[in-house]
Every structure is written in structure tokens, then in C-alpha cells.
């Protein structure tokens, strides 16, 4: 089985797998062979996947504005159950803009999420480019300009500071007057590097390694902004956004390796200062600056946004969606029950139990919202049983405690998420069902158990033996 990582639907998988096993338990206790159950569950899973693909609606071929609106509804559906659900429309549009900004770029790290405690959630903002916290700086930094229009950007992976030679370096002098020439040579090396940076025409110099106090003051005197100790991830994101290339030497720096952007500025965000590159030509990166009260809240908000980003990316790549709110689960359940009646033998019961297990999703939604699950499920069964098929998109309405057309209310989820959830849950349940029985010897964990085991080992080699029954291992 091949499962695509989709980034969301983990709770669905756990719920479904547990319910499949719960429905299988009475059959196992009645002596039904697990392989019969597994076979029927796999058949039911394939039928369910075919039904999902049949019910899926494509959002391909829409204009950019229509597509953004549809993707925002997918993101809002995901964020509804998260901690930041109260501001789901605000964050949904932000997530969609971020994903569209990176285009078809597969690397998720091209979307950066920076957390700044303080303020409220609506103070969060999106940068169509790169933003990172101000790095450690030396004296002279405050004299540097903090805003440039269309600057050239030089990206380095070298140190720009005066450093003594290694401890094991040894220089022997025959004339004390030569000492000064060696000291001057060290200064000349660093000044030569700095001169070449200035001659390149760059107005912003970033380095992954340290930029010392000498270099900081040197650049400040020439109206150049510099930042050292920039993290490797942020440096690569700046390179991707501005079109620059990270250099390991300052020799022969040509215009082709320099990046550019429409605006560079240093901005105060809460108690932090951020370096922000916006209007980048490549446009292959975006940064969400996340605000909020407590650190724990911001951490949870970041995880929620990650799920929403993954959903939007999947919806863009696999542009088919299905009705959410338990609608698709109820429709598959109805379809499998109907199909089960055409099958003779025990398999009819097993597929019926699989269909019943799928109802756990709308039931759990009702429980989470504090509604009567039995009443809502009865309404859903009646609606989905209509011969005209008009009730196929009806799911749980958590606002009223009744049922509503999920598709018309824009409660959607990507079809690939539902397909992977059903696949993964079925595989997990089948794997557990295929285990014959487990062998556990708690005594072996204690010293007495070890002594007893060694005594038994003296009487006969091998100790406990195992005998296979085709599916698992049984203790003899």
C-alpha cells in the first residue's frame, strides 16, 4: 500500500481504526476467522475509495480569485476544530496567500512561521518574501540605514571579523621590526574582504557566520546594512526569494550572484525587531509572523497553521474536494449497506459492520459540539436514503445542532485526505486483526524471573518454544 503524506486527518484515522476493531470484536469472539474479516474489510475499503472518487468535485479550471475562495474554504474547514478556530477566516486567507506565493515549490520550509509573543491573533501578518528576527549585532549597527528601495543583496557563508591564527600556528622572526608587518597583513586581509563587499554594489550583506565589530562599523560608514549569524534556513529562503546565490568567497562577486527585492526594512514587531524582504522577484517563499498571548498558545497555533498549509497544498495539487461535516462518511456508509445486501454469505455482515463504523465521524462531531448524536444520525440516515440522491451532501451542522448541506455551506475537505484516512485506518485495523495472539512474560523483567529462566535453561535448551499457525506465533 502506498499512502501520500497529507498533513491532516490524523484524528479521523484513529477514530476509524478504533471503530473498525470495535465492530470486528463480536465476530472474533464468535469464532469467525480473522482472515475472513480482513478480506471483507479490504473489499469494503476499495468500494469506499471508488465512491469517494465518484462524489469528488474538481476545482480545476477556475479563475485565480475563485480558486483562492475555494481553497480558503478548505483551510477554514480544517481550522474549525483548532485552537484558532475563532479567527479561521482571517488565517485561512493568510494560509492560501502563503501557499499560492510559493507556487509549485515542494519544499514546505519555503513558508516560514515566526512566533512573536504579545499582541492578539489579528496582529499576525503575512510577508510575501522573507522575515527573520534581528541577529546579534555589534557596536555601529544602529548607525546603519534600516530601509532600502531595490537594494542589491550579498549572501555570504564566510566570517567577516579579525581573528587570531590557530593555536598551533607558529611564526619565527629574525628581526623584531618584522612583527608589525605581520600584524598589518592580518588587518589587510579583513579590509580587503570588506572592500570587495563594498565594490560589489550590495547595500545589504547577510552572512551565516559572524560579522564582527570592525566590519559592522566599516559598513555603517558606507551606508550598508549587514547581519551576521543568520540561520542557514533563513539564508536559503532569502536566496530563493531574491534570486541571489550564497557565496563562500568575496573574490570576483558579479551582479548575477547578487539578489534583489523591492523593499528591505527593519521593523519593530512586539518586543522583537525583524528584517523584512518584500516584493521579491522570484516569489518562491512567504513568511507568516504569528502573534498571540502565551507561548503555549502560539505553539499550538503554529501546529494548526501547519495542518491548514498542508491541506491547501494538497487541494492545489489534487484539485478535487468532497463534502465535510460527516457527509461523505454517511454517504459511503449508505452505499456499502446497500451493496452488502447484494452479497450472499458472512461477508454481508462484515461489510455492513464496516459501513456502521464509518458513522463514528458524524457521531463524534455531534459529541464534540454537545448535541444528541442519535437524533442527528437518524436525520442523516433518512436524508441520505432518499432515492433522488439530493441528500448525499448533508452533514452535521454544529451551529444549529441539526443537519445541513455541507457542500452548500462550504464545509469541504480535499478528496485525497479522505482517501488516505480510509486507507490508513483500514490497514491499521487489518494489521491488528491479523495478530493471532501475543506472548508476554512479566517475570522476565524481574531478577527472580531471570534466575528462573537460567534454571530452566539448564534443564533444556531453548526454553519456551513457539509454534506457528499461519498468521502469528503461539507459545508452546
Amino acid at each position: 500500500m502506498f499512502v501520500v503524506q497529507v498533513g491532516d486527518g490524523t484524528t479521523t484515522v484513529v477514530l476509524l481504526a478504533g471503530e473498525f476493531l470495535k465492530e470486528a470484536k463480536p465476530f472474533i469472539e464468535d469464532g469467525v476467522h480473522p482472515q475472513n474479516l480482513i478480506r471483507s474489510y479490504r473489499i469494503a475499503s476499495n468500494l469506499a475509495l471508488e465512491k469517494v472518487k465518484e462524489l469528488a468535485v474538481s476545482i480545476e479550471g477556475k479563475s485565480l480569485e475563485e480558486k483562492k475562495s475555494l481553497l480558503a474554504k478548505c483551510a477554514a474547514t480544517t481550522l474549525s476544530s483548532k485552537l484558532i478556530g475563532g479567527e479561521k477566516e482571517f488565517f485561512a486567507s493568510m494560509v492560501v496567500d502563503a501557499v499560492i506565493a510559493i507556487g509549485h515549490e515542494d519544499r514546505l520550509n519555503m513558508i516560514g512561521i515566526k512566533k512573536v509573543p504579545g499582541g492578539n491573533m489579528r496582529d499576525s501578518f503575512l510577508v510575501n518574501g522573507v522575515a527573520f528576527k534581528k541577529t546579534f549585532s555589534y557596536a555601529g549597527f544602529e548607525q546603519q540605514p534600516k530601509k532600502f528601495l531595490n537594494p542589491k543583496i550579498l549572501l555570504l557563508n564566510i566570517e567577516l571579523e579579525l581573528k587570531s591564527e590557530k593555536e598551533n600556528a607558529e611564526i619565527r622572526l629574525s628581526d623584531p621590526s618584522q612583527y608589525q608587518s605581520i600584524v598589518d597583513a592580518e588587518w589587510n586581509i579583513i579590509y580587503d574582504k570588506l572592500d570587495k563587499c563594498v565594490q560589489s554594489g550590495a547595500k545589504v550583506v547577510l552572512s551565516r557566520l559572524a560579522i564582527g565589530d570592525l566590519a559592522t562599523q566599516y559598513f555603517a560608514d558606507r551606508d550598508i546594512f549587514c547581519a551576521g549569524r543568520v540561520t542557514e534556513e533563513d539564508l536559503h529562503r532569502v536566496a530563493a526569494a531574491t534570486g541571489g546565490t550564497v557565496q563562500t568567497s568575496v573574490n570576483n562577486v558579479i551582479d548575477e550572484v547578487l539578489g534583489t527585492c523591492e523593499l528591505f526594512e527593519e521593523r519593530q514587531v512586539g518586543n522583537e525587531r525583524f528584517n523584512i524582504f518584500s516584493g521579491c522577484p522570484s516569489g518562491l517563499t512567504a513568511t507568516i509572523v504569528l502573534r498571540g498571548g502565551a507561548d503555549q498558545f502560539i505553539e499550538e497555533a503554529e501546529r494548526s497553521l501547519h495542518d491548514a498549509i498542508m491541506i491547501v497544498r494538497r487541494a492545489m495539487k489534487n484539485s478535487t474536494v468532497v463534502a465535510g461535516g460527516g457527509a461523505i462518511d454517511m454517504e459511503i456508509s449508505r452505499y456499502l449497506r446497500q451493496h452488502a445486501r447484494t452479497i450472499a454469505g458472512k461477508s454481508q455482515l462484515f461489510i455492513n459492520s464496516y459501513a456502521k463504523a464509518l458513522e463514528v465521524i458524524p457521531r463524534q462531531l455531534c459529541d464534540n459540539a454537545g448535541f444528541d448524536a442519535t437524533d442527528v444520525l437518524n436525520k442523516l440516515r433518512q436524508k441520505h436514503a432518499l432515492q433522488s440522491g439530493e441528500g448525499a451532501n448533508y452533514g452535521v451542522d454544529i451551529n444549529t445542532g441539526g443537519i445541513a448541506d455541507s457542500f452548500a455551506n462550504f464545509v469541504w475537505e480535499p478528496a485525497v485526505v479522505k482517501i488516505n484516512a480510509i486507507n490508513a485506518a483500514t490497514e491499521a485495523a487489518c494489521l491488528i486483526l491479523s495478530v493471532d495472539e501475543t506472548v508476554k512474560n512479566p517475570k522476565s523483567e524481574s531478577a527472580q524471573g531471570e534466575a528462573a529462566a537460567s534454571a530452566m535453561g539448564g534443564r533444556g535448551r531453548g526454553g519456551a518454544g513457539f509454534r506457528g499457525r499461519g498468521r502469528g506465533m503461539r507459545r508452546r
Side-chain angles (χ1 to χ4, degrees), residues 257-332:
V257 301
L258 297 176
T260 186
C261 66
E262 288 179 9
L263 174 66
F264 165 79
E265 62 176 332
E266 186 176 282
R267 192 194 305 174
Q268 189 78 22
V269 181
N271 295 327
E272 305 284 353
R273 287 161 72 177
F274 270 75
N275 300 323
I276 298 174
F277 300 81
S278 52
C280 300
S282 299
L284 292 176
T285 183
T287 307
I288 296 173
V289 179
L290 198 56
R291 303 296 309 280
D295 288 338
Q296 295 89 336
F297 176 84
I298 297 182
E299 293 289 342
E300 183 58 37
E302 182 189 18
R303 285 189 285 272
S304 303
L305 287 179
H306 175 267
D307 284 356
I309 288 168
M310 293 294 286
I311 283 293
V312 174
R313 285 178 73 223
R314 285 295 161 202
M316 281 185 70
K317 291 191 175 186
N318 306 275
S319 53
T320 53
V321 295
V322 292
I328 186 71
D329 308 277
M330 288 301 296
E331 183 60 19
I332 296 169

Side-chain angles (χ1 to χ4, degrees), residues 81-120:
S81 61
K82 305 289 194 274
L83 195 63
I84 56 177
E87 300 287 353
K88 62 182 180 183
E89 286 83 10
F90 174 74
F91 284 107
S93 65
M94 188 182 292
V95 165
V96 171
D97 289 339
V99 174
I100 288 175
I102 68 169
H104 294 289
E105 179 67 54
D106 279 333
R107 290 179 296 170
L108 192 62
N109 60 4
M110 287 295 105
I111 299 178
I113 299 180
K114 303 298 179 183
K115 296 163 286 192
V116 184
N120 59 54

Side-chain angles (χ1 to χ4, degrees), residues 86-343:
E87 300 287 353
K88 62 182 180 183
E89 286 83 10
F90 174 74
F91 284 107
S93 65
M94 188 182 292
V95 165
V96 171
D97 289 339
V99 174
I100 288 175
I102 68 169
H104 294 289
E105 179 67 54
D106 279 333
R107 290 179 296 170
L108 192 62
N109 60 4
M110 287 295 105
I111 299 178
I113 299 180
K114 303 298 179 183
K115 296 163 286 192
V116 184
N120 59 54
M121 288 190 291
R122 280 198 168 266
D123 292 333
S124 305
F125 61 92
L126 174 71
V127 176
N128 281 318
V130 183
F132 57 85
K133 288 180 186 177
K134 180 178 95 64
T135 55
F136 177 81
S137 57
Y138 290 93
F141 176 79
E142 294 302 333
Q143 299 170 30
Q144 294 178 354
K146 301 297 188 292
K147 186 174 183 178
F148 292 101
L149 292 174
N150 299 309
K152 290 183 178 179
I153 302 163
L154 177 60
L155 308 173
L156 300 173
N157 191 16
I158 58 173
E159 284 182 320
L160 292 176
E161 64 177 342
L162 191 65
K163 295 195 72 176
S164 60
E165 291 298 327
K166 301 294 181 184
E167 292 176 1
N168 58 355
E170 183 178 324
I171 301 173
R172 297 191 178 187
L173 303 175
S174 56
D175 184 356
S177 62
Q178 293 176 340
Y179 177 75
Q180 188 59 42
S181 65
I182 292 169
V183 174
D184 291 341
E186 288 182 338
W187 284 85
N188 289 336
I189 289 170
I190 182 68
Y191 275 122
D192 181 52
K193 288 180 179 179
L194 299 177
D195 283 337
K196 286 176 178 175
C197 291
V198 174
Q199 290 165 15
S200 70
K203 283 295 182 183
V204 177
V205 179
L206 304 179
S207 178
R208 195 173 74 82
L209 302 175
I211 294 180
D213 51 354
L214 172 68
T216 302
Q217 189 63 57
Y218 186 91
F219 287 136
D221 293 341
R222 289 156 182 78
D223 289 336
I224 295 174
F225 177 90
C226 69
R229 295 190 176 94
V230 179
T231 63
E232 188 173 4
E233 182 186 349
D234 286 331
L235 199 65
H236 284 307
R237 288 176 58 236
V238 172
T242 62
T245 307
V246 180
Q247 300 295 298
T248 54
S249 168
V250 291
N251 296 320
N252 301 319
V253 176
I254 56 177
D255 283 347
E256 283 73 13
V257 301
L258 297 176
T260 186
C261 66
E262 288 179 9
L263 174 66
F264 165 79
E265 62 176 332
E266 186 176 282
R267 192 194 305 174
Q268 189 78 22
V269 181
N271 295 327
E272 305 284 353
R273 287 161 72 177
F274 270 75
N275 300 323
I276 298 174
F277 300 81
S278 52
C280 300
S282 299
L284 292 176
T285 183
T287 307
I288 296 173
V289 179
L290 198 56
R291 303 296 309 280
D295 288 338
Q296 295 89 336
F297 176 84
I298 297 182
E299 293 289 342
E300 183 58 37
E302 182 189 18
R303 285 189 285 272
S304 303
L305 287 179
H306 175 267
D307 284 356
I309 288 168
M310 293 294 286
I311 283 293
V312 174
R313 285 178 73 223
R314 285 295 161 202
M316 281 185 70
K317 291 191 175 186
N318 306 275
S319 53
T320 53
V321 295
V322 292
I328 186 71
D329 308 277
M330 288 301 296
E331 183 60 19
I332 296 169
S333 177
R334 180 204 62 79
Y335 170 69
L336 290 178
R337 286 178 200 271
Q338 195 173 323
H339 178 82
R341 295 193 188 99
T342 66
I343 301 172

Side-chain angles (χ1 to χ4, degrees), residues 1-6 416 419-421 423-424 427:
M1 182 190 67
F2 176 68
V3 176
V4 181
Q5 181 189 0
V6 293
V416 68
I419 287 169
N420 277 271
N423 239 332
E427 283 300 319

